Amino acid sequence: MSTVTVKEDQSSSSAYAELFESMSSYFGELTGSEFMQFRQRGLDHFLKSGFPTTRDEDWRFTSLKTLESIKPVWKNTEPDTGAVRQIIDTLPFNDSQFNRMVFIDGQYCESLSTIHDQPEGVDLMPVSAAIRLGLVREEEIGQYTCDSHSNSFVPLNDAFFQDGLFLRAAKGVEVHKPVHVVYLASGLAGNVQFPRQMILMGEQAKATIIEEHRHVSVDGPLFKNAVSEIFLGDQSHLECVKLQLEPESSQHFGSYFIQATKEASFLLHSFDVGAGLSRNSFKAMLNGQNINGVLNGLYITRGKQLSDHHMIVEHNQPSCESHEYFNGILDDKSKAVFHGRIHVDQKGQKTDAKQTNKNILLTDDVVVDTKPQLEIYADDVKCTHGATVGQLDDEAQFYLQARGIPRRQARKMLIHAFASEIVDRIQNELIREQVDRIVWDTLDELPSLK
Amino acid sequence: MLEIKNLVAGVEDNQILNGIDLKINPGEVHAIMGPNGSGKSTLAQVLAGRDGYEVHEGEVLFDGKDLLDLAPEERAGEGLFLAFQYPVEIPGVNTTYFLKSAVNAVRKYRGLPELDSTEFLKLVREKMKILELPQSFLKRPVNEGFSGGEKKRNEIFQMAMLEPKLAVLDETDSGLDIDALKAVAEGVNRLRSPDRSQLVITHYQRLLDYIVPDFVHVLYKGKIIHTGGKELALELEERGYDWIIKEHNEPVTA
Amino acid sequence: MSSSTDTIDKLVKNEYKYGWTTEIESETLDAGLNEDVVRFISAKKNEPEFMLEWRLRAFRHWEKMAEPKWPHVHYPPIDFQAISYYSAPKKKEGPKSLDEVDPKLLETYEKLGIPLEEQKMLAGVAVDAVFDSVSVATTFKETLQKAGVVFCPISEAVHSHPELVEKYIGSVVPYTDNFYAALNSAVFSDGSFVWIPKGTRCPMELSTYFRINARNTGQFERTLIICEEGSYVSYLEGCTAPMRDENQLHAAVVELVAHTDAEIKYSTVQNWYPGDEEGRGGIYNFVTKRGLCKGPRSKISWTQVETGSAITWKYPSVILQGDDSIGEFYSVAVTNLKQQADTGTKMVHIGKNTRSTIVSKGISAGRGQNSYRGLVQIHKNATNARNFSQCDSMLIGDQCGAHTFPYIELKNSSAKVEHEATTSKIGEDQIFYCNQRGIETQDAVNMIVNGYCKEVFQQLPMEFAVEAQKLLNVSLEGSVG
C-alpha cells in the first residue's frame, strides 16, 4: 500500500511519546533496562497506528474522542495508604479467605497485601518482582498477545506497562485460596494506568482469581489500559472473575488473551458496571482438543455510560466446547456494544459452541449494537448464537403483580433474575455471594428501578 | 434366510463382535439378549450396513446373497429392515413424503411398479389401522417432536409399509410404557408369517412376553455363548446372566 | 469415513447443465467506460434529457468511489475498463408476436425449459424476457392493460411514463448508495418497469427471465416496481447463464416502492453459471435490491433461492417507513464448487409498529463459502418495532465454510429484536436412516435439504417452488455421503 502516512491527528500520539520519555527512568527502576526494547517496540507501533477510529470495523460504535482529548500525565508519588486502607477495609473479599494483592496507581503496595503460604510450585507476586527474580524474560512477555495489532491498546500497554498479578502454577498444583487482585486509582498519580497480568498455569494446575478495579477518588478523568496474558496447560483449570467498578469519569480498557491447550478448562466472568466508557476484549485460542471454555459477562449501564464487549473464540482443534453468555441491563441514556465471534478452523471438527447476548432496555433513550458472528470452516460442528434486545417480559411482570408483588419490586425481581443467569455461573461460592450482592446494590441504584 | 458365519467386526480399532454364528430360517423369530456392552446393537448396525463399522472377518448371507457387499439401501431393497433404537429426527421432511419415497425406492429395487398417490394412501390407511396411529402422524416431519413411544410406533409402522423379509428390532422396547409396548408388539406380531423372520434385540425379557421367540441367544463379549428356547428368557430374567457366563468360562470338560 | 468423502466428491463434481452460447449477432460496444459511453447508451435508447443528466451524475460519482472490500469474498480485481457496457441483439423490426422473435432465442429459452408458448397458455404468466439487456418479447400485455397495470421494459417506460420514472428512479437506491449502484445508474441497459394503479390486484404473476449471453458483457439491469395505494403485485425473477471462461460482471439494481396498504412480493430464483471446480469462470453477481414501505400498512416480501454465480453479493432490503409496515426476507443460498456468497438483508425500522421477519438458510458444499450478513436497525421513533431473525447454516463436506454476521442496532427500547442462528451438517445418522428405508444417498440428501429449506420454499409461488426445488437438487448433485 502507500508508504508512511502522516497521522492527521498527531496530538494524542505525540503526547504519549512525551509521556514515555518522562516515564523512562521509572520504567528503568521498575523492570530494568532489558525490557526497554520491548517497550520501545510497543511505543513505535502505537505511534504509527494511533487510537482506532469509528472507521475501523471493530470500533464502529465506540468513539474514542473523549479518550483522545485526555492529555496523559504521570506522577511518581507515594500513595496515601491511609485513604486506601479505608477502602480496602470495606472490600467484599476478606483477606483471611483470599490472597490479596493491592496495586495503587499501578504500583504494588506490599503493606496492604496478604499472600498466604503457597504450596511448592506456585509463584504468586507482582509482575515487577517476577521480572527482578528472572521468572519472566523479555521474550516471554507478550507471547500470548499474538495477533493483537488490530487493537492498538495492547502495544500501548507493552510500552507503558507498570505492574500487576503474576501467577505461575507448576504441574498438578492448586493455588491455595483464591487470589483477589485490587487495582486502585488514588487520583494523585496522574491520569493514566497500565496494569499487566500474567497467569501461567501448568499441566493440571488450578486457580481462582478475582480482579477488581476501583477508585479512591472520583475526580478527573482516568485512562486505564490493562492487558492480561493467560496460558492454560493441559488439563489445567482457571476461574477468573473481573469486577469493573470504576466511576463514570474513567475510561477502562481491558484486553484478555487466553491460550489453552488440551483438556484445559476455564471460566472467565466479567462484571462491567463502572466507567464512562469501557471496552473489554477477550481472545481465546483453543489450541488443544477437548478444551472447555466459558466467557460469561454482565454489564449494567446508566447515565451516559458505554459498555463495549468484543470477543473472539478460536476453535483451532477438534472437540472443544465454548460458551459465551453476555447479558446487559441498560438504563438512562447509556449504550452497549457487543461483538462476539466464534471462529471454527477446518481442524475444529466436533466443536460445540454457543453464544448468546441478551439485553434488557429500561428506557427509551438507550442504544444497543450487537453483532454475534459465526465463522465456520469445519462441517461436523454444533454452533449456535442468539441475540435478543427488548424490554422486560410484560407477562411475567403482570403475573408477579397479580400475586400481590408491587410493580417496582416485580421489575427488580425480574431484572435480578436476568442478572442471576450470569452470576450463578460463578463456581466459587464465596465469590458468587459477594458478586451477587454487588449486582443487587448496582441494580438498587438504577434510576429506573428506584 | 439369514446366515451369519464367524462375524468379527468393530468400530475403528475396537473389536466388538468376536465371531458370531447365527442362522435364521424363514418364519422364525430369534431373540438376542445380553448384558450391556455385549455387542447387541453393533450386530444390528453391522447387518444394516452403517458407516464406521468395520467387518474384519466372516460373512453374512441373506437369501444366499453376500449382504456385506451391499449398500444400506440395497439391503433394505433385499428385504432387511432395522427398527432403530434411537430413530433420528429429520426436520422439515414430512412423514408421508418420506414413506412414499421409501416404499417406491424399495419397490423399484424389487422390480415392482411404483405406487401412485392413491394406491399409496390406501396402503397407508390400511397399515395405520393396525398400529392405531392418528392421521396427524403423516403430516408431521419424520420423528420430529415425537415422544419416545411415537417414534417406536413409527418404526413399526414403517416396517409394516415396507414388508421386509427380515426385521431387526433393536431395543424396540426401550423407553416404552406397558401400553405402548403392547401396541408395538401387536404390530410386530401381525407381520409374522411363514416367510418372514424377525430378530429381536433386547435387554429385558418383558418384550418377549408379547413377541414370543422361537430361539433365544445370549450374547456376551461379542459371541453367542448360549442358545435356548423361549423359556431361556424367563430364566435369564430370574437368574441374570452370571450363571451362563460362568458356565461359558468353565472348561468344557468340567 | 472414506466412503462418505467419495460420495461427497461425486456429488460436488456436478456440471452446470445450462452451458452453451447462442449465436446471435450482437451490436457490441468496445470495452471501456467514460462519459461518451454513458452518452452513447443514453442516445441509443433515445432517452429524454433528464435520464442522460442523471446517468452522468451517477457516472461522475462512481468515478470517485472505490469497490467495497468488506464482504467475505475473494476475487481478482476487476478491470472496469475491460468491460463492454452495451450489447443488444440486432433486430430487424420490433417483434409484435412470438412468431417474430428470433427462433434462435426461442430455442435458447426452450433449452432452459421455459417454452414461452407453453408458459403463456399453462401458467398464465406474462414473461418479459431480457436477452442480453434488451427486452425482446413481452406477452400478456393486453390483460395487464385492461387492469391498468404497466409492465414494460424500463427503456420503454422512460418514454411512455417519464414522470413516473423521473419521480421514482433512484428514490430507493440513490446512485450514491454504493459502488455498483452508481455504476448501474450510469450504464444500465434495461430491465422491467411495473406500475400497479391504486386499489388494483395485478391479475397475474409477473415474471422475467434474465439470461446473460454475449461474451464479456457486464449486464446492468434496472428494475423499478411501484405499487400505488392498496394494490398488490407478485413479481418473479429467474435466470440461468451459459458457460463461460471469463468472469462476467452482473450489477443489477432493483427498486420497489409500496404505498399505503400496498403489497409487493418479489421472488428470485438465481442459477447463473457458478464457475468450474477450480472457480474459473462464473458470474459475479453484485446486486442492490431495496424496497421502500412508504405508506402505512404496506408490505414488501423478498424471497430468494440463490444457487448460482461464482460470487454473490446481495442484500435485498426493506425500509419500513410507513407505520405498521411489514418487511420479510426468506432466503436459500447454496454455495458449491468454489462459489462464494455474502448475502442477507437489511431491515430498517423507521415507522411505528413496524415488523420484520428474516429466515435465511445457507447451504455450503464443495469448497463453497457462504456468509449471511444482515442488519436490523431500529430507529429512535420506531416504537414497538419487532424483528425476528432465524439464520441456519448447513455444511456438507469438510472443505466448505459457513459464516454468520448479523448486526443489530437498536435505538428504541419498546422494540423487540430476536436473532437465532444454528450451524449443522446433514447428519450421517439421518442419511443412514433413509438408506435403511431403501432411499439412496442422493435422494436422502435432497429430501433432507429440501426439508431444511421448506420455510423458504413455502413463500414461493407454486410453479416457482417446484423449479427451485429442482434447482437445489441439481446444485447439490453429488454432495454427500
Side-chain angles (χ1 to χ4, degrees):
Chain A
M1 296 285 276
S2 58
T3 49
V4 185
T5 46
V6 181
K7 285 281 295 179
E8 283 169 45
D9 177 21
Q10 278 206 323
S11 56
S12 65
S13 304
S14 61
Y16 284 91
E18 280 166 34
L19 179 69
F20 190 75
E21 270 207 44
S22 71
M23 288 175 83
S24 58
S25 63
Y26 161 69
F27 289 148
E29 241 170 75
L30 190 67
T31 55
S33 56
E34 102 178 87
F35 279 82
M36 280 327 254
Q37 265 186 354
F38 174 73
R39 291 180 182 277
Q40 189 64 48
R41 274 200 306 276
L43 182 70
D44 292 346
H45 188 284
F46 175 76
L47 292 179
K48 218 173 355 174
S49 63
F51 288 115
T53 71
T54 48
R55 279 193 300 272
D56 293 301
E57 179 64 25
D58 279 349
W59 295 85
R60 242 175 85 196
F61 303 106
T62 305
S63 163
L64 299 175
K65 285 254 154 64
T66 326
L67 175 64
E68 291 192 55
S69 70
I70 295 177
K71 189 178 171 350
V73 180
W74 163 255
K75 283 181 260 175
N76 197 357
T77 47
E78 275 300 306
D80 174 1
T81 44
V84 172
R85 170 65 73 185
Q86 279 186 338
I87 297 242
I88 297 285
D89 287 344
T90 64
L91 286 182
F93 306 100
N94 182 313
D95 65 358
S96 64
Q97 285 160 317
F98 292 84
N99 295 290
R100 176 186 288 159
M101 293 172 77
V102 179
F103 295 86
I104 303 170
D105 301 326
Q107 308 201 66
Y108 185 57
C109 181
E110 200 167 356
S111 62
L112 294 173
S113 302
T114 313
I115 293 180
H116 297 279
D117 286 342
Q118 291 296 331
E120 196 166 331
V122 172
D123 296 307
L124 177 59
M125 61 187 77
V127 167
S128 59
I131 287 174
R132 274 196 299 275
L133 291 173
L135 298 177
V136 184
R137 287 189 310 276
E138 194 202 345
E139 66 272 18
E140 281 163 332
I141 196 159
Q143 282 197 80
Y144 304 114
T145 61
C146 57
D147 189 29
S148 58
H149 294 291
S150 60
N151 174 356
S152 51
F153 288 90
V154 176
L156 189 63
N157 182 288
D158 287 350
F160 290 91
F161 78 89
Q162 297 170 285
D163 216 340
L165 166 70
F166 177 85
L167 171 61
R168 191 167 68 176
K171 180 175 174 175
V173 178
E174 180 166 0
V175 175
H176 179 55
K177 293 184 177 174
V179 184
H180 178 209
V181 192
V182 192
Y183 295 95
L184 278 170
S186 71
L188 301 172
N191 55 13
V192 285
Q193 281 178 26
F194 301 93
R196 181 112 183 176
Q197 304 194 127
M198 286 185 88
I199 299 162
L200 309 170
M201 305 286 289
E203 216 174 297
Q204 295 172 331
K206 276 188 189 151
T208 304
I209 293 164
I210 317 140
E211 172 190 342
E212 187 173 352
H213 294 267
R214 281 184 187 260
H215 269 206
V216 179
S217 91
V218 293
D219 303 329
L222 180 90
F223 167 34
K224 192 182 259 183
N225 175 14
V227 169
S228 304
E229 297 184 68
I230 299 174
F231 174 80
L232 301 175
D234 294 357
Q235 299 176 337
S236 60
H237 177 77
L238 177 70
E239 178 165 34
C240 213
V241 181
K242 179 181 175 184
L243 295 168
Q244 191 271 102
L245 309 166
E246 294 182 355
E248 214 172 316
S249 58
S250 167
Q251 310 232 349
H252 181 99
F253 296 80
S255 309
Y256 264 87
F257 295 87
I258 302 147
Q259 278 208 22
T261 60
K262 100 177 176 262
E263 291 164 38
S265 60
F266 63 90
L267 289 121
L268 206 66
H269 314 277
S270 160
F271 294 86
D272 197 61
V273 299
L277 168 65
S278 67
R279 162 91 162 196
N280 294 287
S281 54
F282 303 93
K283 181 166 182 177
M285 290 153 275
L286 311 185
N287 293 338
Q289 301 198 11
N290 294 306
I291 295 166
N292 190 320
V294 175
L295 299 176
N296 180 48
L298 176 70
Y299 44 94
I300 304 173
T301 59
R302 50 182 287 194
K304 288 187 163 180
Q305 279 180 284
L306 163 59
S307 175
D308 179 345
H309 289 82
H310 189 279
M311 66 207 64
I312 300 172
V313 177
E314 288 183 357
H315 284 256
N316 297 325
Q317 290 294 328
S319 309
C320 294
E321 223 179 288
S322 76
H323 295 265
E324 291 112 73
Y325 309 94
F326 280 79
N327 284 10
I329 298 162
L330 289 90
D331 201 355
D332 290 335
K333 296 187 168 183
S334 61
K335 186 176 172 184
V337 178
F338 177 86
H339 174 284
R341 184 192 299 168
I342 297 171
H343 181 108
V344 181
D345 187 86
Q346 232 175 16
K347 284 191 229 125
Q349 296 291 4
K350 308 267 181 221
T351 286
D352 185 348
K354 196 191 226 164
Q355 181 187 66
T356 59
N357 174 229
K358 298 196 270 189
N359 296 278
I360 286 188
L361 317 182
L362 298 177
T363 74
D364 273 346
D365 298 312
V366 299
V367 174
V368 174
D369 296 301
T370 172
K371 292 195 296 181
Q373 310 187 335
L374 302 175
E375 204 170 318
I376 294 162
Y377 297 92
D379 66 332
D380 190 6
V381 298
K382 232 166 61 192
C383 291
T384 62
H385 69 196
T388 58
V389 186
Q391 285 173 308
L392 272 183
D393 184 352
D394 283 342
E395 233 170 276
Q397 200 174 310
F398 176 74
Y399 185 84
L400 292 176
Q401 283 177 262
R403 295 285 175 270
I405 299 163
R407 186 183 137 84
R408 201 180 62 89
Q409 198 189 336
R411 277 169 71 82
K412 207 187 280 179
M413 277 171 71
L414 291 172
I415 289 184
H416 183 250
F418 179 73
S420 297
E421 289 177 13
I422 302 300
V423 177
D424 288 349
R425 287 200 186 91
I426 300 177
Q427 286 180 343
N428 183 298
E429 205 175 324
L430 275 174
I431 302 174
R432 187 171 62 232
E433 277 168 21
Q434 296 300 338
V435 171
D436 194 50
R437 200 177 53 77
I438 292 170
V439 168
W440 259 116
D441 290 349
T442 312
L443 293 177
D444 266 338
E445 289 300 311
L446 287 182
S448 294
L449 295 181
K450 270 188 183 164
Chain B
M1 170 165 303
L2 181 78
E3 204 176 349
I4 304 174
K5 292 179 195 160
N6 186 32
L7 182 65
V8 178
V11 181
E12 284 173 14
D13 301 333
N14 195 2
Q15 192 163 308
I16 301 168
L17 302 181
N18 295 308
I20 294 208
D21 290 292
L22 180 65
K23 195 169 177 206
I24 301 178
N25 294 310
E28 290 176 353
V29 174
H30 290 239
I32 289 196
M33 299 183 73
N36 284 330
S38 56
K40 299 191 298 289
S41 282
T42 301
L43 177 61
Q45 302 288 343
V46 169
L47 289 178
R50 175 149 213 154
D51 228 14
Y53 288 85
E54 280 170 39
V55 175
H56 305 297
E57 258 180 75
E59 63 175 343
V60 179
L61 296 176
F62 188 60
D63 268 352
K65 275 189 197 166
D66 183 359
L67 191 71
L68 301 178
D69 221 27
L70 302 175
E73 61 268 29
E74 291 169 331
R75 300 183 196 198
E78 290 291 337
L80 177 86
F81 181 91
L82 171 63
F84 286 78
Q85 184 180 4
Y86 304 109
V88 68
E89 300 187 0
I90 310 179
V93 176
N94 147 328
T95 302
T96 312
Y97 176 55
F98 170 76
L99 262 178
K100 196 179 165 198
S101 308
V103 167
N104 279 335
V106 166
R107 288 182 69 92
K108 201 172 153 194
Y109 185 88
R110 295 176 189 166
L112 299 168
E114 294 187 18
L115 298 182
D116 64 23
S117 297
T118 336
E119 292 166 324
F120 173 74
L121 282 175
K122 203 176 139 232
L123 185 65
V124 165
R125 268 195 292 272
E126 204 180 285
K127 304 288 184 187
M128 279 186 86
K129 249 189 258 155
I130 302 177
L131 283 144
E132 292 158 16
L133 290 171
Q135 279 288 318
S136 63
F137 229 71
L138 294 170
K139 290 191 185 135
R140 289 158 65 183
V142 179
N143 293 326
E144 199 184 36
F146 283 28
S147 69
E150 283 176 326
K151 281 184 184 168
K152 294 297 168 75
R153 272 200 270 178
N154 191 19
E155 292 294 290
I156 304 307
F157 170 51
Q158 291 181 35
M159 172 173 146
M161 290 293 296
L162 293 171
E163 305 187 324
K165 282 191 246 172
L166 173 69
V168 180
L169 308 179
D170 187 7
E171 308 254 356
T172 297
D173 50 338
S174 68
L176 293 187
D177 61 31
I178 195 71
D179 291 332
L181 183 73
K182 275 188 195 165
V184 163
E186 198 180 326
V188 173
N189 288 331
R190 290 209 192 198
L191 294 167
R192 260 178 113 148
S193 82
D195 52 356
R196 291 202 189 130
S197 315
Q198 288 166 358
L199 179 60
V200 183
I201 292 172
T202 181
H203 189 69
Y204 300 104
Q205 168 270 339
R206 65 170 192 166
L207 178 66
L208 304 180
D209 285 346
Y210 302 97
I211 304 174
V212 182
D214 299 311
F215 300 96
V216 175
H217 309 276
V218 176
L219 191 65
Y220 177 67
K221 287 192 174 167
K223 254 180 129 76
I224 290 177
I225 57 166
H226 195 93
T227 296
K230 64 183 175 214
E231 61 295 336
L232 176 60
L234 285 170
E235 202 175 348
L236 287 169
E237 179 76 3
E238 251 170 58
R239 297 175 58 191
Y241 291 104
D242 289 352
W243 62 279
I244 292 186
I245 293 168
K246 219 169 137 197
E247 232 169 60
H248 169 70
N249 287 339
E250 275 165 21
V252 195
T253 49
Chain C
M1 230 12 239
S2 69
S3 79
S4 76
T5 326
D6 285 353
T7 344
I8 290 170
D9 283 353
K10 239 188 286 158
L11 275 167
V12 169
K13 283 175 191 146
N14 164 46
E15 283 184 22
Y16 187 74
K17 292 196 171 156
Y18 301 122
W20 67 88
T21 305
T22 311
E23 283 174 30
I24 290 181
E25 258 185 273
S26 289
E27 186 181 323
T28 302
L29 198 65
D30 284 344
L33 183 55
N34 53 42
E35 282 206 15
D36 290 340
V37 169
V38 176
R39 283 175 202 280
F40 172 86
I41 293 168
S42 187
K44 200 80 194 159
K45 294 173 176 298
N46 203 14
E47 285 180 347
E49 191 61 22
F50 80 86
M51 278 308 301
L52 174 62
E53 285 308 316
W54 187 72
R55 282 178 184 274
L56 287 173
R57 281 200 301 275
F59 173 73
R60 286 166 199 149
H61 190 81
W62 175 77
E63 282 190 302
K64 284 182 268 176
M65 294 177 96
E67 263 180 275
K69 290 283 177 244
W70 47 265
H72 196 80
V73 296
H74 305 279
Y75 54 91
I78 299 170
D79 182 355
F80 291 91
Q81 295 302 340
I83 295 169
S84 162
Y85 290 86
Y86 186 81
S87 143
K90 273 198 176 160
K91 45 183 175 180
K92 299 144 206 162
E93 276 294 301
K96 302 256 170 353
S97 71
L98 288 176
D99 303 340
E100 290 178 33
V101 173
D102 190 330
K104 272 198 181 166
L105 270 188
L106 294 179
E107 208 183 298
T108 306
Y109 291 126
E110 260 159 48
K111 275 195 223 168
L112 282 172
I114 330 152
L116 274 182
E117 287 286 22
E118 220 183 298
Q119 206 157 27
K120 199 168 143 187
M121 290 183 301
L122 291 177
V125 173
V127 176
D128 175 21
V130 172
F131 187 92
D132 257 44
S133 325
V134 172
S135 300
V136 288
T138 305
T139 53
F140 286 100
K141 270 219 154 132
E142 278 173 35
T143 324
L144 292 173
Q145 250 163 17
K146 238 180 261 167
V149 170
V150 180
F151 177 36
C152 64
I154 200 163
S155 58
E156 199 178 307
V158 166
H159 299 287
S160 58
H161 299 85
E163 71 297 339
L164 286 175
V165 176
E166 186 168 11
K167 182 173 173 191
Y168 289 107
I169 199 163
S171 70
V172 186
V173 182
Y175 59 75
T176 50
D177 190 79
N178 67 67
F179 184 82
Y180 294 106
L183 181 63
N184 175 289
S185 303
V187 302
F188 77 86
S189 33
D190 212 339
S192 298
F193 176 83
V194 178
W195 180 78
I196 315 287
K198 190 170 166 179
T200 305
R201 200 180 160 86
C202 184
M204 62 184 68
E205 312 258 6
L206 300 182
S207 151
T208 305
Y209 281 91
F210 294 92
R211 186 162 166 74
I212 294 183
N213 200 295
R215 192 171 281 262
N216 265 345
T217 307
Q219 191 161 13
F220 304 94
E221 292 96 349
R222 183 116 198 161
T223 297
L224 179 57
I225 299 176
I226 301 138
C227 262
E228 295 291 351
E229 193 177 327
S231 66
Y232 167 85
V233 68
S234 166
Y235 185 91
L236 320 180
E237 171 201 36
C239 40
T240 55
M243 189 176 281
R244 285 285 184 204
D245 275 333
E246 294 93 330
N247 288 304
Q248 289 181 304
L249 175 66
H250 182 87
V253 170
V254 176
E255 295 179 279
L256 313 180
V257 180
H259 287 280
T260 308
D261 291 312
E263 180 179 347
I264 303 175
K265 202 171 155 57
Y266 194 104
S267 315
T268 308
V269 172
Q270 186 263 111
N271 181 29
W272 280 331
Y273 179 51
D276 66 11
E277 274 174 51
E278 290 310 311
R280 283 184 299 254
I283 302 296
Y284 288 2
N285 188 21
F286 301 147
V287 185
T288 308
K289 286 184 168 174
R290 194 174 302 154
L292 173 62
C293 281
K294 203 173 163 104
R297 297 171 303 281
S298 53
K299 178 176 175 184
I300 288 177
S301 176
W302 298 101
T303 305
Q304 60 174 29
V305 176
E306 304 271 333
T307 60
S309 295
I311 299 174
T312 302
W313 179 93
K314 178 182 174 189
Y315 315 92
S317 308
V318 184
I319 298 169
L320 297 149
Q321 193 182 73
D323 291 348
D324 303 288
S325 58
I326 297 174
E328 293 176 337
F329 174 74
Y330 296 93
S331 169
V332 168
V334 180
T335 52
N336 198 346
L337 306 165
K338 276 191 108 175
Q339 284 175 276
Q340 307 172 60
D342 193 299
T343 182
T345 184
K346 281 192 240 178
M347 292 290 172
V348 180
H349 293 254
I350 299 170
K352 294 184 178 53
N353 304 316
T354 46
R355 280 176 290 152
S356 62
T357 306
I358 298 171
V359 176
S360 164
K361 304 278 182 177
I363 301 164
S364 309
R367 283 182 285 165
Q369 295 292 333
N370 206 329
S371 303
Y372 166 83
R373 188 183 303 276
L375 169 68
V376 175
Q377 205 174 48
I378 312 281
H379 285 234
K380 187 94 189 105
N381 296 322
T383 313
N384 289 322
R386 293 281 177 273
N387 163 269
F388 175 74
S389 307
Q390 171 75 44
C391 303
D392 296 327
S393 308
M394 184 181 265
L395 294 124
I396 303 178
D398 55 6
Q399 301 289 310
C400 53
H403 319 296
T404 318
F405 305 108
Y407 300 70
I408 299 168
E409 298 174 21
L410 191 132
K411 293 195 168 70
N412 184 300
S413 74
S414 62
K416 200 166 175 181
V417 176
E418 288 175 73
H419 173 95
E420 281 174 31
T422 63
T423 298
S424 57
K425 69 172 200 163
I426 293 189
E428 272 164 37
D429 46 351
Q430 290 175 326
I431 292 174
F432 180 63
Y433 190 80
C434 293
N435 285 162
Q436 211 300 305
R437 299 299 183 252
I439 300 166
E440 277 179 38
T441 299
Q442 184 62 57
D443 292 339
V445 170
N446 289 347
M447 197 181 266
I448 293 164
V449 169
N450 276 309
Y452 164 80
C453 298
K454 204 172 187 175
E455 275 166 281
V456 176
F457 288 156
Q458 276 168 350
Q459 298 298 323
L460 290 170
M462 185 65 130
E463 67 275 16
F464 235 36
V466 173
E467 191 176 323
Q469 234 173 59
K470 272 193 216 149
L471 201 56
L472 195 65
N473 295 350
V474 169
S475 329
L476 289 173
E477 235 166 65
S479 65
V480 190

